[in-house]
Amino acid sequence: MLLTWTGFVVSLAAILVISRKNLAVGLISGGVVLGLIVLPFDVLWGRIVYTFTDPEIIMLALAMGVIPVLGGVMLDSGQVDSLVSNVRLRKRYLLPFSAALMGLLPMPGGALLSAPILQKGGEGVPDDLKAVINNWFRHLFLLVYPLNSALIVLSQIAGLDMYRAILYVLPGFAVALALGYLFFLRRVHGSHHHTEDFSWGGLLLPFSIILVAPMLDFTLKRTLSLGAAATLIAVSMSLILAVSVSRNRLELKAIVRRMKPWNFA
């Protein structure tokens, strides 16, 4: 037990130090350090080889790399702004919706991207309240979002069907949602005044891009039992759709450099 805890602490320290330079290298290094302390070397080497050669893991890693690129494309194409500007809700519901939307598109600096949206939509709401709503609801819906990279990976490691795992998480999600409303959202009043005309296309098209991936992932896993391949196909289709419907000229290389998909993969 002491050896296990020692390995955990040392590996965590390695992750924290190395991740300051490179997150991906930090995570891999932490895993290797932990294995060197708690596993025989032949077992550790076998797990390393398996991790980098197993087709399921490779496809899962590729899928995790596509998701942040999808977020970057939706931002640069204006699809996120279009979605937020066409959601006609009271401030009490617009603020958590905007925060949750940024949380569902995993990307570096998510808080910095969602904060200006809440600032714009939450005029008259105290800054500290906007900050806590941003933090609470940006992470809350990740508990049940089928394209949450942590949920996908942990379900795979545990050998659980992801959609069954979501059912187990739902009670905790419901409690957290109720607490967020009770302590934060009840204090928000008024409506946001929109200066743009409402557009069904501006609302439904970005929603469709976000919903295509989990719907296709669920369908392929249930009908064809594709596993990680279903996730890779699903997120790739969402990315293709987002690029194809963009009215803005997209610099995909710049988006990839900014979103750093290798860290997620």
Side-chain angles (χ1 to χ4, degrees), residues 7 14 27 44 94 98 127 135-137 146 168 172 182-183 195 209 245 251 262:
L27 292 173
L44 171 63
L94 177 63
S98 301
D127 289 342
N135 190 55
W136 187 272
F137 289 95
Y168 290 122
L182 179 65
F183 288 102
T195 57
I209 294 170
V245 301
E251 297 290 343
W262 45 87

Side-chain angles (χ1 to χ4, degrees), residues 81-126:
D81 290 337
S82 175
L83 177 57
V84 173
S85 64
N86 285 288
V87 173
R88 302 305 162 96
L89 297 171
R90 294 174 59 84
K91 287 182 184 179
R92 177 175 294 175
Y93 307 109
L94 177 63
L95 296 185
F97 170 82
S98 301
L101 179 63
M102 290 296 100
L104 299 186
L105 299 173
M107 60 194 71
L112 296 177
L113 293 169
S114 57
I117 297 176
L118 268 73
Q119 182 70 17
K120 178 181 177 181
E123 294 178 0
V125 179

Side-chain angles (χ1 to χ4, degrees), residues 70 73-80 82 201-202 204-210 212 237-250 252:
L70 170 61
V73 167
M74 292 193 69
L75 280 171
D76 285 16
S77 65
Q79 291 156 1
V80 171
S82 175
L204 296 180
L205 185 58
F207 252 132
S208 299
I209 294 170
I210 294 174
V212 159
M237 289 302 297
S238 277
L239 177 60
I240 292 171
L241 179 60
V243 172
S244 62
V245 301
S246 173
R247 295 181 179 179
N248 300 338
R249 185 173 181 272
L250 298 172
L252 291 178

Side-chain angles (χ1 to χ4, degrees), residues 166-227:
I166 289 175
L167 293 177
Y168 290 122
V169 177
L170 276 177
F173 168 77
V175 170
L177 183 63
L179 291 173
Y181 180 86
L182 179 65
F183 288 102
F184 310 134
L185 297 185
R186 280 204 315 168
R187 298 163 53 191
V188 178
H189 304 283
S191 300
H192 177 65
H193 299 290
H194 295 272
T195 57
E196 309 90 350
D197 293 332
F198 176 77
S199 168
W200 278 109
L203 175 66
L204 296 180
L205 185 58
F207 252 132
S208 299
I209 294 170
I210 294 174
L211 292 178
V212 159
M215 291 176 62
L216 187 58
D217 177 63
F218 180 85
T219 303
L220 292 176
K221 284 181 176 176
R222 289 296 179 273
T223 58
L224 301 178
S225 302
L226 290 183

